Amino acid sequence: MIPTGFLPPALGPQRTFALVAGVERYDISHRWNLRGPARDALRFAHWLTGPAQVPPGNLRLLLSPLDEPEALDWPDSPAMAALRTAYRPATEENVKAALLDELPQCDGDLLWIFWAGHGYLGPRQELMLPCADARPSQIRHLNLDSALRWWRTDLVKHRSFPLQAALVDSCRVDAPRDARWNFGSTDYGGGSSVPGRRQFRLYASREGEAAQNDAERGAGRFTEALLAELGGRSVRESVSGLPVAARSIHRTFRELRDRGEGWQLPQFLVDRDWDACSFLDDDLAAVALPRAARLDQQAWDGLGALFEGRELPRCAYEAYAWAFKAAGCTTPVGGGLPGDGLLDVVQDLDERQGGHGGMPLAVPFVRFLADRAGTAGDAAWAGRLKDWVDTTRERLALPVLPPPPPPARTTVVHVGLEPPPDGGPGFRARMWLRGERTEHIWESQGAPVRLDTVREELLRQLALIGAAPTDGGGAGPRAPGGVDRIEFHVPYELLDTDFDQWPVPRGPAGRHRALGLLHQVVVRCPQERADTRAEWHTSWRWLCTRGGRHPEAVRVVEEAEVTDALGMELAERPAPACVLAHTTSAPHAGLLEAVLEGGVPVAVWRRGGGAPPPPLLDLLAPAGPDGRPDPGALDVLALPARVREVRRAAAGAAAAGARAAAGDGQPPAGEDQLVLLWDDPDDIPDSRSLA
């Protein structure tokens, strides 16, 4: 509680001003629209003009409701009736006019900023609040951090507004780093800082978290809790009690998290020169629900020895996500690991602790690593990890852990093709089957063979792999679930070959289906990666430790970007790990060279060149909040299955087009023939030259 004597003596309703904004409708796309922020803004304005008794002329109300303004539930009071005729749309121009022109000229002691709507974090972690006139070419917005810095300078009257409080009911997730998300660069500048100005910031969520909105009730959960705390308080009571109210709101959401119902936690920031303290989670320890134990020093010492010299294993993100499930908690919003080392990940888990069952999140994480290490053949490390789990559980009296799920079983046929040493026609060919183990199943003998011969042998092997034994034994087929994926390891010149279109006998009457409709079909070119092996492995590990999803994981390459420097540019950082070719020329005209030179393990293009309508991102990625495909939501590790879905959808559309064409005499529509380059450096059966 801030001592009332610490407040400006004249602080009261007449010297209180506010910007109140609620944005539900956005010009950028109807998919951005959400129901609730306009109602939240009206309710906050009603508290200001009601219990707080602030004159309506001291408010700048900005509303862009989803429905007609007359359809809103306007509170019945003279003050709100005045605001009903004075409000303006929540456009960038109106926001800047109210916050940077009109309110700074007023003579007041307290400024409230209330905002409800979407929110994103920029590259410098500044909170960007999109305005109603946000468009694809320019996402107009309020840069709240820059605006608050501006309000602390002498551009605001020297003795005015010593107290400023910003209350924001929005998400604070990273804005996708994609050319279509053009927020631009917004900085309002400012003069010299004025000592003594103090600012509170109370956010509905922490960095990287989404804020929850109840669309049916038309209310943000944060605003609901905030208004319940403010209740019938006056201006002075609300300001002096703001830290207590914030702690109570934080406690409410923390109890939700303890029950595993979400990770959203309001964050409260207060300058240290205000009552010489800040809002700390530790202050709540005495009143919070019982939490899980934290690791003791002995546990940390053991992990230090176990993790020394160990890179993040491929399964690290799976282990991280499973730890929350095993402890009965909800996985945090946003994919990816919180650090680049095993100890960084465990520290994050330990700080989050665990659910109400008492299990520290770090323990199931290590248990998962032990299980996967044993499966991968590292029995020594698996045993040490399991010993740490057992001794830690016994020492901290932790409950029994369920076993981790077994690794997903994928049956893959690898088809290796190499040109003969003398450069003649044909190819040397070899096939492997990888399931629970890897076995060599066929190799060409004698003279090099043609691709037709390879196709016939592949079809024969596929039939053998899925067939039941003919000797009456009980061993069953070699691949009980059939073949999931076929990977063609080919020379550079064959990357654009139509392997996925190879006909496969299917059903009666001589029917055939394309190979890429029955199985996941990808191409690989590992022999071309000798010079960029380090970049290749690094990019793949980066992708795996982020669970296959990240705003920077996917890059769409346009025609103009395919230059001699593109390969070096792609090699500079682990991201992107996937390139989508939106080019009109054949992929061998520079794009694939750049992908291989850059160490990018995954790429998708249309066979023979030509940007597909719709673009590849539209075909492969789920839609984001703006209604357009979101590269950050595309699971790159699931692309083989996703590309097969697209191939099947295209085949279905082509068949429907053929039926329609037969009726009106028009030619059938063509298929979208996608090619997926999928170079997993951890899954190469044998890279030796074929004999």
Side-chain angles (χ1 to χ4, degrees):
M1 178 76 71
I2 299 173
T4 56
F6 195 77
L7 301 177
L11 175 62
Q14 299 297 327
R15 297 187 59 79
T16 298
F17 293 80
L19 169 74
V20 180
V23 192
E24 295 183 343
R25 182 184 296 275
Y26 296 84
D27 290 349
I28 190 170
S29 169
H30 71 278
R31 295 182 181 272
W32 272 52
N33 297 344
L34 70 164
R35 191 175 299 279
R39 179 173 181 264
D40 289 341
L42 286 181
R43 295 166 69 204
F44 188 79
H46 184 49
W47 171 79
L48 281 172
T49 58
Q53 298 182 348
V54 177
N58 289 14
L59 273 66
R60 303 298 184 269
L61 180 61
L62 306 178
L63 295 175
S64 291
L66 191 58
D67 302 317
E68 292 298 322
E70 298 303 317
L72 289 174
D73 185 15
W74 288 85
D76 186 12
S77 71
M80 293 303 295
L83 288 174
R84 189 169 185 170
T85 61
Y87 85 92
R88 289 171 283 179
T91 62
E92 183 187 39
E93 180 180 0
N94 289 337
V95 170
K96 292 173 65 176
L99 190 59
L100 303 180
D101 293 333
E102 300 166 16
L103 290 171
Q105 301 305 315
C106 300
D107 187 14
D109 291 325
L110 171 63
L111 172 72
W112 291 97
I113 299 175
F114 177 88
W115 189 287
H118 286 303
Y120 294 96
L121 294 176
R124 295 185 296 174
Q125 300 301 293
E126 293 183 320
L127 182 56
M128 301 181 295
L129 303 171
C131 298
D133 54 344
R135 295 185 176 91
S137 59
Q138 180 65 55
I139 303 180
R140 296 182 174 90
H141 65 281
L142 169 66
N143 185 329
L144 183 64
D145 290 271
S146 179
L148 291 174
R149 285 196 300 269
W150 189 95
W151 266 86
R152 297 192 63 159
T153 69
D154 56 8
L155 295 181
V156 181
K157 290 183 179 180
H158 183 67
R159 296 186 180 276
S160 296
F161 298 105
L163 304 177
Q164 302 163 16
L167 313 174
V168 183
D169 194 348
S170 77
C171 301
R172 295 173 71 200
V173 296
D174 291 334
R177 298 182 182 179
D178 183 88
R180 301 166 307 138
W181 288 69
N182 181 28
F183 279 94
S185 178
T186 303
D187 190 339
Y188 308 116
S192 301
S193 296
V194 175
R197 283 212 174 102
R198 306 171 182 96
Q199 292 179 340
F200 280 99
R201 305 186 203 185
L202 181 55
Y203 299 128
S205 58
R206 301 191 169 211
E207 292 182 356
E209 293 181 344
Q212 294 176 321
N213 184 65
D214 189 336
E216 288 189 18
R217 299 176 57 223
R221 297 185 69 173
F222 168 77
T223 301
E224 288 273 295
L226 172 65
L227 291 172
E229 290 296 328
L230 293 176
R233 295 181 180 181
S234 67
V235 167
R236 295 185 71 88
E237 291 171 342
S238 64
V239 174
S240 62
L242 194 53
V244 175
R247 285 181 169 87
S248 179
I249 294 169
H250 187 280
R251 187 179 304 120
T252 299
F253 280 88
R254 187 170 180 179
E255 290 172 357
L256 289 173
R257 190 177 76 166
D258 287 337
R259 296 197 296 269
E261 297 178 12
W263 283 106
Q264 174 187 349
L265 273 182
Q267 186 172 31
F268 179 72
L269 305 179
V270 57
D271 292 339
R272 291 186 179 274
D273 60 351
W274 186 316
D275 205 20
C277 67
S278 61
F279 181 75
L280 301 174
D281 292 351
D282 293 343
D283 297 339
L284 303 175
V287 293
L289 294 177
R291 303 299 307 279
R294 302 189 71 166
L295 299 182
D296 56 13
Q297 189 58 50
Q298 185 174 344
W300 280 110
D301 291 342
L303 289 178
L306 281 170
F307 293 162
E308 183 178 3
R310 291 272 179 176
E311 293 183 344
L312 282 170
R314 179 170 177 166
C315 67
Y317 180 75
E318 293 178 81
Y320 181 76
W322 183 75
F324 291 93
K325 182 177 180 180
C329 302
T330 301
T331 307
V333 174
L337 293 173
D340 295 326
L342 284 168
L343 285 177
D344 296 329
V345 176
V346 172
Q347 183 174 358
D348 173 84
L349 292 169
D350 195 51
E351 289 174 354
R352 293 180 183 272
Q353 299 181 45
H356 57 274
M359 176 63 69
L361 290 166
V363 176
F365 174 76
V366 177
R367 176 68 180 85
F368 193 102
L369 296 182
D371 185 76
R372 288 295 191 271
T375 303
D378 193 348
W381 196 47
R384 294 172 61 200
L385 291 170
K386 189 175 184 303
D387 289 344
W388 181 92
V389 171
D390 293 341
T391 56
T392 302
R393 277 192 52 245
E394 182 178 354
R395 189 174 63 255
L396 300 181
L398 302 177
V400 175
L401 270 172
R409 296 295 183 187
T410 302
T411 302
V412 180
V413 171
H414 296 264
V415 181
L417 300 173
E418 285 189 4
D422 60 5
F427 300 92
R428 296 184 182 274
R430 190 176 182 183
M431 296 182 191
W432 304 263
L433 174 65
R434 182 183 59 77
E436 294 186 5
R437 58 189 179 89
T438 300
E439 58 178 310
H440 170 236
I441 57 176
W442 179 79
E443 183 170 2
S444 60
Q445 302 292 333
V449 297
R450 300 189 309 167
L451 288 182
D452 287 346
T453 302
V454 177
R455 178 181 59 81
E456 293 171 2
E457 183 59 35
L458 174 62
L459 297 184
R460 191 178 74 86
Q461 291 295 332
L462 290 176
L464 291 174
I465 290 169
T470 58
D471 58 1
R478 291 160 69 184
V483 173
D484 300 293
R485 186 162 65 243
I486 302 172
E487 302 187 355
F488 289 88
H489 302 240
V490 300
Y492 176 79
E493 294 75 15
L494 291 184
L495 283 176
D496 206 39
T497 305
D498 61 346
F499 297 112
D500 56 285
Q501 298 299 314
W502 281 3
V504 180
R506 184 79 167 181
R511 172 186 290 176
H512 288 76
R513 295 291 189 188
L515 186 66
L517 301 182
L518 303 177
H519 308 278
Q520 302 167 17
V521 175
V522 304
V523 293
R524 310 190 59 174
C525 199
Q527 69 271 29
E528 295 289 345
R529 299 191 180 269
D531 296 334
T532 55
R533 184 170 299 275
E535 291 86 349
W536 175 33
H537 282 254
T538 299
S539 184
W540 185 263
R541 285 197 302 271
W542 178 90
L543 179 66
C544 290
T545 56
R546 281 148 184 84
R549 295 184 180 91
H550 192 272
E552 298 181 7
V554 179
R555 174 170 171 178
V556 178
V557 175
E558 304 285 347
E559 191 81 42
E561 299 177 89
V562 182
T563 66
D564 289 341
L566 179 60
M568 293 183 290
E569 178 186 341
L570 294 174
E572 288 178 353
R573 301 170 59 243
C578 173
V579 163
L580 303 184
H582 195 246
T583 57
T584 56
S585 59
H588 288 76
L591 177 66
L592 292 185
E593 293 96 324
V595 166
L596 295 170
E597 181 185 3
V600 179
V602 182
V604 184
W605 66 92
R606 188 182 187 187
R607 180 170 297 109
L616 291 177
L617 197 61
D618 292 6
L619 287 173
L620 301 174
D626 60 349
R628 293 179 298 176
D630 180 6
L634 175 58
D635 186 353
V636 178
L637 294 177
L639 267 181
R642 177 61 186 146
V643 168
R644 182 176 62 174
E645 291 176 6
V646 172
R647 288 170 177 155
R648 289 177 170 177
R659 289 193 297 270
D664 58 16
Q666 297 296 320
E671 298 181 8
D672 252 333
Q673 296 186 5
L674 303 186
V675 185
L676 172 61
L677 173 69
W678 178 265
D679 266 334
D680 178 352
D682 300 326
D683 184 21
I684 301 179
D686 193 341
S687 59
R688 293 176 298 175
S689 297
L690 300 174

